[in-house]
Amino acid sequence: MSVIERIPRFVVTALIALAIINLLIGVFLRYVVGGFTNYMDWDPVSFTWVEEVGEMALAWLTFIGAAIGIRSRSHFTLYVFTPRFSPSVQRAIEVFNHLLIAGFGLLAAWHAITLCQLNWSLKTPGLEVSLALLYASAVVGGVLIAIYAFSMIVSPAHRDPNALH
Amino acid sequence: MLLLSVAVIFVCLILLSMPIVFSLGLAGVAGLWLGGYPMQQLPSALVSGSQSWVLLAIPAFVFAGGLMERCGMSHALVELARALVGWVKGGLGMSVIVVAYFFSDICGSKMAEVSALGSSLMPPLTKAGYKREESASMIAAGTAMGMLVPPAIFMIVIAQVTNTSAVTLFLAGFVPAFVMMICLMVLIYLRARKYDWPVDAKPSLKRVGKAGMEAAVPLVVPVVILGGFFFGIITATEAGAVVAAYAFLAAKIYYRNVSWPQMGQIAYESAILTAAVVFLLAVASIFQYLMGMQGVPKLLGEVLAPLKGHPWLFLFVTAFISMLFGMILEGLPAAVVLIPVVFPIAEEMGIDPIHFNIVQTAAVGIGLFLPPMGVGLLMALKFANVSVSQHFPTYVPYICALVVGLSLIICIPEISLTLPRLAGLIK
């Protein structure tokens, strides 16, 4: 596996870990710290940022993971008619499909750039970071989708003949 | 007209073996373009569809399930179920169903469940003299029933698209799943008597106790979920986090059989599965935008108007369609394409949203295990090493038992609604 392939792999693993640990911090803040401050009659500790971190991590995880999924063929696909065609026709269909997927990714990325610009000055209430950080996930994701789709055109990943779908 | 062209594009792409999620996305783009809607809807729907607090329960439960499976918790459950019911006539078969019920509790993904049950139950069943077709039927039917046992990813998704509470839906699932379990167990008992199936030796109290002790670690999970939700202590997302932390501690401190690189691999696989699920939801939200703009729910409402006076008939018809969708498209695409369209009609007809969602969940669960192409069934058959046609005659009674269970759930809404009502979550 090349270094370039390892980066998104590492990033999604880190993001899922971040998402789950963040949830646990949320539970801790709400039940333990919240209960304690409530008991002591202190000012409650804010945890609105927990929700923002979680949702942001999920959005990034989704787009990067969806792009990786193109190559690892983890998106559900029906193979009903195509396996009956000759290998060269099958290959042509696959190239056609991945060109469309790449186009979809680039289109999403292109229009997401506009969304980033529109939301540049808006800040999230908890973390007070720019909302563009959220929409940037669609830009990066769209570009990655195109890259992975092109990689399938150049050197297709092998499909497990025993795979169910 | 616009939606017809969109539907044609969608179907053509699927037939060309385009992944379903991209078929949906490209058809959606075509719809935006043909209808002259702003293309910015594409990224904006994608981002808003993937950014959701409730959906964060998915990575947590998937990771927890993967980890608990790797620890070998399924074996502990198998042992307990055998000790409990293995000595009854047809008991080993019944224990498959019991295991499926409990295992669905710790395992969020159907495919992972079939492979775990297939690999841990096929050998003892074969050894005990069960035919492979019979064992595959039990595993398939049991897992289909398990669709209703929380925490199912499907339930989180369906709660999201219908804007109902995931916690209420989770809580509502326990009893309908139990009803289906009884249907299957009665069938297995009758078949065991007819074909004179072997029985396990009656276990000593010591063996039951030992099996119970070992299964106590995985059984904490349903207790946390059921108790936490019933008393309204935690949300679905928080339950996911707690279960993930519990699985992590159990793996590292109690079982000690999962290395750090293996943990990383499970996390990675869970991330990719989560991404596939949430991305599908995100892409489908483009469709929901289009259907809303085109007034589809109203149109469908008019088409289905004759059914209005008969809610149960409406439920049967939609459940049947969900079942077909589940068989052809796999469960989640069915949920994101079909449910948002029919849900508003059901609501208007006065069907309880929770009841409706439970019925559709059960129907999709059965669909996944319907011949000739339900993916869950194909997976179970792979473990049994039998073909769909070889297996079919044995499987028919099991499908019937599942459909009887589904019919009971449709006709008696109380099966789904009593537990959430007792918890005070619905009126």
Side-chain angles (χ1 to χ4, degrees), chain A residues 9 30-31 76 78 82 97, chain B residues 16-17 20 233 238 265:
Chain A
R9 195 185 155 94
R30 191 174 139 192
Y31 294 97
F76 186 77
L78 274 189
T82 44
N97 283 349
Chain B
L16 279 178
S17 294
I20 289 175
I233 308 169
E238 288 169 345
Q265 179 66 24

Side-chain angles (χ1 to χ4, degrees), chain B residues 45-210:
Chain B
L46 288 179
V47 172
S48 60
S50 63
Q51 174 216 18
S52 152
W53 180 248
V54 176
L55 294 179
L56 272 166
I58 297 177
F61 279 124
V62 171
F63 173 73
L67 198 51
M68 289 193 273
E69 165 47 24
R70 182 68 59 92
C71 293
M73 290 196 195
S74 55
H75 295 289
L77 291 174
V78 170
E79 275 310 302
L80 178 67
R82 281 185 76 171
L84 284 177
V85 290
W87 48 276
V88 188
K89 192 88 191 157
L92 188 57
M94 289 184 193
S95 68
V96 175
I97 310 295
V98 176
V99 169
Y101 191 95
F102 285 117
F103 194 62
S104 298
D105 241 327
I106 62 168
C107 192
S109 139
K110 279 292 108 182
M111 292 303 116
E113 190 180 334
V114 178
S115 62
L117 292 183
S119 57
S120 60
L121 284 167
M122 229 38 211
L125 282 166
T126 313
K127 210 168 132 196
Y130 281 73
K131 278 199 312 181
R132 281 178 305 169
E133 289 85 352
E134 205 74 52
S135 320
S137 300
M138 290 167 187
I139 292 172
T143 328
M145 164 211 79
M147 191 80 175
L148 284 167
V149 183
I153 300 175
F154 185 84
M155 283 186 178
I156 302 173
V157 171
I158 199 174
Q160 176 79 5
V161 297
T162 60
N163 206 8
T164 41
S165 142
V167 167
T168 315
L169 201 53
F170 274 178
L171 209 49
F174 281 104
V175 182
F178 188 77
V179 169
M180 276 201 169
M181 177 165 93
I182 300 294
C183 293
L184 288 171
M185 284 171 81
V186 168
L187 172 75
I188 290 173
Y189 179 75
L190 294 176
R191 283 178 80 80
R193 294 216 8 191
K194 188 170 165 199
Y195 297 108
D196 197 28
W197 287 348
V199 290
D200 271 359
K202 203 164 179 169
S204 62
L205 214 57
K206 205 174 130 199
R207 196 182 138 207
V208 176
K210 188 166 168 276

Side-chain angles (χ1 to χ4, degrees), chain B residues 193-284:
Chain B
R193 294 216 8 191
K194 188 170 165 199
Y195 297 108
D196 197 28
W197 287 348
V199 290
D200 271 359
K202 203 164 179 169
S204 62
L205 214 57
K206 205 174 130 199
R207 196 182 138 207
V208 176
K210 188 166 168 276
M213 287 291 285
E214 271 166 26
V217 182
L219 284 178
V220 166
V221 178
V223 172
V224 168
I225 294 177
L226 184 60
F229 290 167
F230 189 84
F231 294 106
I233 308 169
I234 45 174
T235 67
T237 314
E238 288 169 345
V242 172
V243 171
Y246 177 76
F248 178 82
L249 293 178
K252 276 291 165 204
I253 295 171
Y254 182 77
Y255 290 100
R256 295 191 196 174
N257 54 1
V258 184
S259 68
W260 286 109
Q262 283 173 331
M263 191 84 81
Q265 179 66 24
I266 296 170
Y268 170 71
E269 282 163 11
S270 313
I272 297 299
L273 180 63
T274 305
V277 173
V278 180
F279 189 58
L280 182 68
L281 260 171
V283 169

